[in-house]
Amino acid sequence: MKLYSYFRSSASYRVRIALNLKNLSYEYVPVHLVRDGGEQLKPEYRKVNPDAIVPTFVDDEQHAIQQSLAIIEYLEETHPEPPLLPKSPVDRAHVRSLALQIACEIHPLNNLRVLKYLKRTLGVDDAAKDAWYRHWVEAGFETLEARLAGDPRTGKLCFGDTPTFADLFLVPQIYNAHRFNVDTTRFPTIQRIHDYAVQLDAFARAAPGAQPDSE
Amino acid sequence: MKLYSYFRSSASYRVRIALNLKNLSYEYVPVHLVRDGGEQLKPEYRKVNPDAIVPTFVDDEQHAIQQSLAIIEYLEETHPEPPLLPKSPVDRAHVRSLALQIACEIHPLNNLRVLKYLKRTLGVDDAAKDAWYRHWVEAGFETLEARLAGDPRTGKLCFGDTPTFADLFLVPQIYNAHRFNVDTTRFPTIQRIHDYAVQLDAFARAAPGAQPDSE
């Protein structure tokens, strides 16, 4: 198994946590998103991932898998233990919808190519770019906080006391938020889940600072 | 079963296709995203969907489900026939990654609240806003075209000749693209799949023009 990853990429971070929780060892292939204008844009990498983003996961050499949630669902299907989704369909939908709220409503607005477009094409200054970043994180976290705080299924983690897809998406998004100086203590349930999760071994070993390409 | 939907919402459109393919009947509850400043923002709707977006799906009254992909995975788990995912994990990952590329890399940049922010907060004019819209659709479609054209698994539809998650995401995104005058004939594989899919009964009945709240 091989993971094309960048230490700071929150989408890569999600997959690293999943691989660790499933006790899978893998080859770490660093792709530097900034150096030389971005290694992800080079033709060799585009052959692996035509969308020129990380992560890419390779298990079957013929069929590299892109998109973090597709990779995580694949790991769940091929290595079901320990499960990262609950048993009942309605609970699975809840966990997936928490993950998807981060994956679809927060993260896409804040990734590198979007911030570049704001700056280079729309001429947005750094202060307005940072405000954009914080706006989408804070708007998304407000809703997530309400959902998590108001749901009896929330435990030490997003769903009960053992990790699920939702935690794999939440922790990296908080790492991102801190990089842009978002005060996450405004979101007590999210903060509490984060503080518990980052102490778990699988999460700690997946953290950006613990990666071979960390700077 | 109940679906909170807006006829033009492409995320709602995805779920409508899935419900039709599974031969499930449901109550259609219209939520007008524009009238009165947006019915989705009203407190009554926020109780159903704290994120104030459509669709929301209700099967179990206690647990409304938000996020279109979470709803579609739920339908796949609770009503497995006909299947909308292939059998092998690597093929399932491929189909999910096509759907997620649309769900995470294209659609989030073009939804209503983002376009509002560009206009109202960043003061972007209509021409630059439309260029933004087209930029993300075209960049995403270029990659999708390359992925679909280069993969032997592509058939009359995104994966073989029967509908999968990927088609449920592709067709509504093309409907959106046409609203913003994106020329999709530049993407021949995508266009061909679209033209085939929209003639299928389940897709035709899910189209915006066929909904009770259509204008």
Side-chain angles (χ1 to χ4, degrees):
Chain A
M1 291 185 180
K2 200 159 40 173
L3 182 70
Y4 293 86
S5 169
Y6 178 54
F7 73 109
R8 271 204 193 107
S9 148
S10 66
S12 303
Y13 189 177
R14 299 167 187 164
V15 177
R16 296 192 304 252
I17 302 169
L19 286 161
N20 292 347
L21 286 166
K22 300 282 188 186
N23 285 308
L24 299 168
S25 58
Y26 61 96
E27 181 189 346
Y28 187 103
V29 187
V31 180
H32 201 296
L33 298 192
V34 182
R35 196 163 54 206
D36 298 337
E39 292 177 356
Q40 76 281 14
L41 301 171
K42 296 198 191 295
E44 311 90 78
Y45 185 68
R46 279 192 192 268
K47 271 185 214 153
V48 180
N49 184 321
D51 212 22
I53 47 180
V54 288
T56 308
F57 179 70
V58 180
D59 188 7
D60 171 344
E61 276 291 341
Q62 295 242 283
H63 299 114
I65 306 172
Q66 55 187 81
Q67 289 294 332
S68 60
L69 183 55
I71 300 168
I72 292 166
E73 294 269 9
Y74 173 85
L75 293 173
E76 184 74 1
E77 290 181 349
T78 54
H79 298 85
E81 295 299 326
L84 304 181
L85 283 173
K87 282 200 180 133
S88 86
V90 79
D91 288 340
R92 293 162 74 86
H94 173 60
V95 166
R96 285 191 175 110
S97 80
L98 292 168
L100 283 162
Q101 196 192 323
I102 293 167
C104 297
E105 312 301 334
I106 302 178
H107 180 250
L109 297 164
N110 292 346
N111 77 16
L112 190 61
R113 56 186 174 189
V114 173
L115 300 180
K116 274 187 192 168
Y117 189 100
L118 284 176
K119 198 162 172 179
R120 295 182 190 170
T121 307
L122 294 181
V124 166
D125 66 23
D126 280 340
K129 179 172 70 68
D130 289 357
W132 159 282
Y133 191 104
R134 283 195 301 270
H135 173 79
W136 299 113
V137 173
E138 288 173 356
F141 277 4
E142 260 167 45
T143 310
L144 268 180
E145 175 67 26
R147 292 180 67 193
L148 289 166
D151 198 305
R153 293 171 288 185
T154 306
K156 287 182 188 161
L157 292 165
C158 290
F159 183 92
D161 297 338
T162 54
T164 61
F165 286 14
D167 305 297
L168 275 51
F169 282 70
L170 184 62
V171 167
Q173 186 59 58
I174 291 173
Y175 164 78
N176 261 0
H178 288 166
R179 280 184 64 210
F180 278 75
N181 302 314
V182 175
D183 174 15
T184 53
T185 60
R186 277 179 51 201
F187 310 105
T189 312
I190 288 177
Q191 184 72 50
R192 171 178 68 68
I193 291 170
H194 167 269
D195 293 349
Y196 181 79
V198 293
Q199 297 190 50
L200 302 174
D201 177 64
F203 286 75
R205 284 189 292 120
Q211 303 318 302
D213 57 340
S214 173
E215 284 163 11
Chain B
M1 291 184 180
K2 199 160 39 172
L3 183 70
Y4 293 84
S5 169
Y6 179 55
F7 73 109
R8 271 204 192 106
S9 149
S10 66
S12 302
Y13 189 176
R14 300 166 185 163
V15 178
R16 295 193 303 252
I17 301 169
L19 286 161
N20 291 345
L21 286 166
K22 301 283 189 188
N23 285 308
L24 298 169
S25 59
Y26 60 96
E27 180 190 347
Y28 188 102
V29 186
V31 181
H32 201 296
L33 298 193
V34 182
R35 197 164 52 207
D36 298 337
E39 292 177 355
Q40 77 280 14
L41 301 172
K42 296 199 190 296
E44 311 89 78
Y45 185 68
R46 279 193 193 268
K47 271 185 215 155
V48 180
N49 184 321
D51 213 20
I53 48 180
V54 287
T56 308
F57 179 69
V58 180
D59 187 6
D60 170 345
E61 276 290 341
Q62 294 242 284
H63 299 114
I65 306 172
Q66 54 186 81
Q67 289 295 331
S68 60
L69 183 55
I71 299 168
I72 292 166
E73 295 270 9
Y74 173 85
L75 292 173
E76 184 73 0
E77 291 181 348
T78 53
H79 298 84
E81 295 300 327
L84 304 181
L85 283 173
K87 282 198 181 135
S88 86
V90 79
D91 289 339
R92 294 162 74 86
H94 173 59
V95 166
R96 285 192 175 110
S97 81
L98 292 167
L100 282 162
Q101 197 192 322
I102 294 167
C104 296
E105 311 301 334
I106 302 178
H107 181 249
L109 297 163
N110 293 344
N111 76 18
L112 188 62
R113 56 185 173 190
V114 174
L115 300 179
K116 273 188 192 167
Y117 189 100
L118 285 175
K119 200 164 169 177
R120 295 183 189 168
T121 307
L122 294 180
V124 166
D125 66 23
D126 279 340
K129 178 172 71 71
D130 289 358
W132 159 282
Y133 191 103
R134 283 194 302 270
H135 173 80
W136 299 111
V137 173
E138 289 174 354
F141 277 4
E142 262 168 44
T143 310
L144 267 181
E145 175 66 26
R147 292 181 67 194
L148 288 166
D151 198 302
R153 293 171 288 185
T154 306
K156 287 182 187 160
L157 292 165
C158 290
F159 184 92
D161 298 337
T162 53
T164 61
F165 285 14
D167 305 297
L168 275 50
F169 283 69
L170 184 61
V171 167
Q173 187 59 59
I174 292 173
Y175 164 78
N176 261 0
H178 288 165
R179 281 184 64 209
F180 276 75
N181 302 315
V182 175
D183 175 14
T184 54
T185 62
R186 279 179 52 201
F187 311 104
T189 313
I190 288 177
Q191 183 73 50
R192 172 177 68 68
I193 291 169
H194 168 268
D195 294 350
Y196 181 78
V198 292
Q199 297 189 48
L200 302 174
D201 177 64
F203 286 74
R205 285 190 289 121
Q211 303 318 302
D213 57 339
S214 173
E215 284 164 11

